[in-house]
Amino acid sequence: MRGLIALGIALSSAMALAAPAFAQQPNMAAKPEAVCTAEAKPPAGFEDWNGKAAITTATSAEHVAHASLALGKGYDATLLNTPKVAMPVQPEKPGGSVAHAGLFSFTVETAGSYTVALGTAAWIDVLEDGKSLEPTKFGHGPECTGIRKMVVFPMKPGVHTLQVSANAAPTLKLMVAKAP
Amino acid sequence: MIGLVACASSVAPVAEPWPAADMQAPFPANNAPTPIKIELGRRLFYDGDLSWDGTMSCATCHEQKRGFADPNKTRPGFDGQPGERNIQTLANVAWFRSLTWGGPHVDTLEHQALIPIEGFVPVEMGFGGKKEGALAQRLKDQACYPALFKAAFPEKQGDISLDTIAMALSVFQRSLVSLDSPYDRYRRGEALAISDQAKRGETLFNDKQCASCHAGPHFTDAALAGRTPYETFHRLAMPLDGKDAGLQRITLKAEDAGKFRTPGLRNVALSAPYMHDGEVATLPDAIWHHYAMGDAQADLRLKQTVSDAEVGDLVAFLNALTDEGFVRNPAFALPPRGCPVPEDMALAGDEAVSQRLHNSP
């Protein structure tokens, strides 16, 4: 883990990377949060991170098309308490009943790596063909951008489902974009 | 691995027959296991509701695939406050007589279970200082838990309290038995279960006196019969870093500065990083760490030399302690969604409870 932290510091303008063998961690903050005196510019592809488009979680897979995210667009997402969101796949870290969860969809036009960025360290699952994808990278976002967590997934073209679980608050900064 | 100072146990392998893979863990008479109590404990272990904001369960830090350890040096609490010490594995904790890095007084799992839930140093799951009974009430308000507690604790009329929560968590943790690694099979007579390099590592493990502290079939003197908890705390030949006085924080004795309890080594290859502060990233470095110089008071056993090749052999031996069946055992994993219908519900003799479990979402 020490190596990962050093790498994260070295990559101050990009996300800290982790070995794929390490599944994403909801509390990866092994290094202390930076003291920010000014807001830093989000990384390439995430220029709209501070966008405030509103979106509310779907409550089940049947309704997930109504909670569709546009790639490259920053959202203030509204979540619901865990029991009120029927996740298609049980998350590895489901969160308790008092935590908050979200269920969204997004469409990928071309195959490639895409990044899910969050303002918190909530757990993320991206479903493709009904199965949870293995991330290829995960880490903390660039310091002082407000991006707390970035997880990269390789995706095929098509509609994908994003599950967010174990989030403390009922709102969440959220964005999906082509991996920087 | 951790310190060798004043570890007085025999270096040689224990004389008794090596434990069978299905050896039963010891349970205290006042918290006997039943299938439903173990299942309740498992659900609690994986339930984020045991943290104040619902984001953190026991399993958040104790991940099965890592031998119930954590890949971070230390783990922040539910609200991001930094952790203090590296997360320890849970394999075979039923045999341990001392359960934390620095506190010999924490000698039962029932006691230990409440420390992360309610503790302040550091804050982990965040119920400390909150309204009394808040966690119990949270569980009472759910559809499944009242029935599970009633079935698990009929003698307590299904009481949901910190006591019964800790009891159920403890029973589940005592069920986490890991005794089927390649090395276990080798010790039980399968000569080809481990490599020649691992066999050389086993010899070195004894010759270099690693087994002096990492003793017995659980690879810690904390699980040896006849030891007091206090006797399982040792200091490495490392200068005190001034950050964590270990046992001294409890005893206030100068001679206890820098002493920590010997961790077990089962599944150690999966549980990086190492040492009480998680500052050592790899197994080779952890071995070298034991031989670091700089302390004139260090035990002479730590002042012997170890070569690169020997470290390689020792790592091969430690890798042979990985029990793949343990880290993949579905009985220890995140339980499926919904409320369980335990096989022994009929034995509980409570049709109403059984019916409720069947019908719960």
Side-chain angles (χ1 to χ4, degrees):
Chain A
M1 202 63 196
R2 185 167 55 188
L4 298 183
I5 293 163
L7 183 58
I9 293 169
L11 296 173
S12 58
S13 63
M15 62 182 287
L17 306 181
F22 280 24
Q24 55 165 322
Q25 293 298 308
N27 283 309
M28 296 170 293
K31 67 188 177 81
E33 293 291 320
V35 177
C36 301
T37 55
E39 199 169 87
K41 187 178 168 186
F46 288 80
E47 288 82 1
D48 193 43
W49 167 252
N50 290 309
K52 297 186 182 301
I55 191 165
T56 298
T57 178
T59 54
S60 68
E62 295 83 67
H63 302 107
V64 74
H66 301 301
S68 179
L69 304 166
L71 298 187
K73 190 170 183 177
Y75 288 92
D76 281 338
T78 298
L79 311 180
L80 292 171
N81 280 127
T82 304
K84 294 181 177 175
V85 182
M87 299 286 193
V89 173
Q90 186 181 24
E92 188 176 324
K93 313 276 181 178
S97 66
V98 300
H100 296 85
L103 188 60
F104 308 93
S105 65
F106 60 92
T107 300
V108 166
E109 299 291 348
T110 58
S113 292
Y114 293 82
T115 300
V116 179
L118 302 182
T120 71
W123 186 260
I124 298 167
D125 286 293
V126 172
L127 310 185
E128 187 176 88
D129 300 330
K131 294 181 180 175
S132 185
L133 293 172
E134 280 292 320
T136 52
K137 299 174 186 172
F138 70 88
H140 201 291
E143 289 180 350
C144 302
T145 59
I147 302 176
R148 173 64 183 79
K149 178 173 186 173
M150 301 178 84
V151 186
V152 179
F153 299 90
M155 299 186 201
K156 298 187 299 190
V159 178
H160 291 71
T161 299
L162 171 64
Q163 299 184 161
V164 178
S165 57
N167 197 66
T171 58
L172 174 68
K173 287 291 293 179
L174 169 64
M175 186 167 179
V176 182
K178 191 86 168 132
Chain B
M1 289 198 295
I2 200 163
L4 299 178
V5 176
C7 298
S9 68
S10 166
V11 174
V14 290
E16 308 90 70
W18 199 253
D22 60 352
M23 185 169 76
Q24 292 296 303
F27 286 81
N30 63 358
N31 194 12
T34 60
I36 184 62
K37 199 190 286 185
I38 294 172
E39 179 60 21
L40 170 60
R42 178 167 76 136
R43 287 181 179 266
L44 291 168
F45 186 87
Y46 282 95
D47 194 338
D49 274 338
L50 267 65
S51 61
W52 178 247
D53 65 359
T55 62
M56 203 173 177
S57 68
C58 306
T60 299
C61 299
H62 295 285
E63 296 187 10
Q64 183 183 14
K65 61 190 172 190
R66 305 180 200 284
F68 289 96
D70 180 87
N72 297 294
K73 288 184 186 178
T74 61
R75 169 66 73 151
F78 82 105
D79 58 353
Q81 292 189 44
E84 284 202 341
R85 291 172 177 158
N86 186 246
I87 303 298
Q88 301 204 51
T89 62
L90 296 180
N92 302 350
V93 289
W95 282 274
F96 287 25
R97 291 172 166 76
S98 178
L99 292 160
T100 67
W101 282 112
H105 59 297
V106 185
D107 57 0
T108 69
L109 286 165
E110 286 79 0
H111 179 185
Q112 190 280 331
L114 298 180
I115 294 174
I117 295 173
E118 292 194 302
F120 291 99
V121 186
V123 171
E124 295 179 86
M125 301 168 89
F127 272 97
K130 299 297 191 295
K131 182 181 177 184
E132 188 174 348
L135 173 56
Q137 189 59 52
R138 182 182 290 179
L139 302 185
K140 288 174 186 174
D141 289 342
Q142 296 183 30
C144 188
Y145 277 122
L148 287 178
F149 274 86
K150 189 170 182 182
F153 294 102
E155 76 283 7
K156 295 178 181 290
Q157 293 75 51
D159 177 46
I160 302 179
S161 64
L162 285 177
D163 283 348
T164 50
I165 290 167
M167 289 173 76
L169 285 169
S170 302
V171 164
F172 171 64
Q173 290 178 87
R174 290 190 182 100
S175 78
L176 301 176
V177 174
S178 174
L179 289 168
D180 202 23
S181 68
Y183 181 67
D184 291 304
R185 295 196 292 275
Y186 169 70
R187 288 298 302 266
R188 290 193 289 263
E190 290 184 36
L192 300 179
I194 65 173
S195 67
D196 289 343
Q197 187 181 25
K199 291 172 186 172
R200 292 196 301 273
E202 180 202 27
T203 301
L204 287 165
F205 191 77
N206 292 304
D207 290 349
K208 298 286 185 183
Q209 309 217 32
C210 309
S212 183
C213 290
H214 295 288
H218 309 299
F219 301 95
T220 170
D221 50 5
L224 289 182
R227 292 292 172 87
T228 67
Y230 183 88
E231 291 171 332
T232 64
F233 287 72
H234 314 287
R235 183 160 79 86
L236 288 180
M238 297 291 290
L240 296 176
D241 60 10
K243 291 186 290 189
D244 190 339
L247 181 61
Q248 188 191 32
R249 284 167 55 171
I250 302 298
T251 67
L252 305 180
K253 295 177 180 176
E255 64 266 31
D256 290 338
K259 287 185 178 178
F260 295 91
R261 195 216 62 184
T262 313
L265 296 181
R266 288 192 170 274
N267 306 298
V268 68
L270 304 177
S271 66
Y274 304 106
M275 315 312 293
H276 72 276
D277 52 8
E279 287 290 342
V280 178
T282 68
L283 277 177
D285 283 346
I287 294 167
W288 287 116
H289 194 79
H290 286 66
Y291 293 95
M293 295 295 109
D295 187 340
Q297 303 302 315
D299 190 292
L300 288 175
R301 287 171 292 186
L302 290 166
K303 293 187 174 179
Q304 57 191 315
T305 59
V306 60
S307 68
D308 286 343
E310 288 173 329
V311 169
D313 292 347
L314 283 165
V315 169
F317 168 68
L318 295 173
N319 284 337
L321 304 181
T322 299
D323 182 346
E324 292 291 343
F326 175 75
V327 297
R328 294 180 183 166
N329 188 339
F332 304 152
L334 173 68
R337 290 180 284 198
C339 203
V341 184
E343 292 177 2
D344 65 340
M345 284 309 298
L347 297 177
D350 189 330
E351 283 301 316
V353 171
S354 180
Q355 192 65 32
R356 184 169 177 181
L357 289 174
H358 277 285
N359 292 338
S360 293

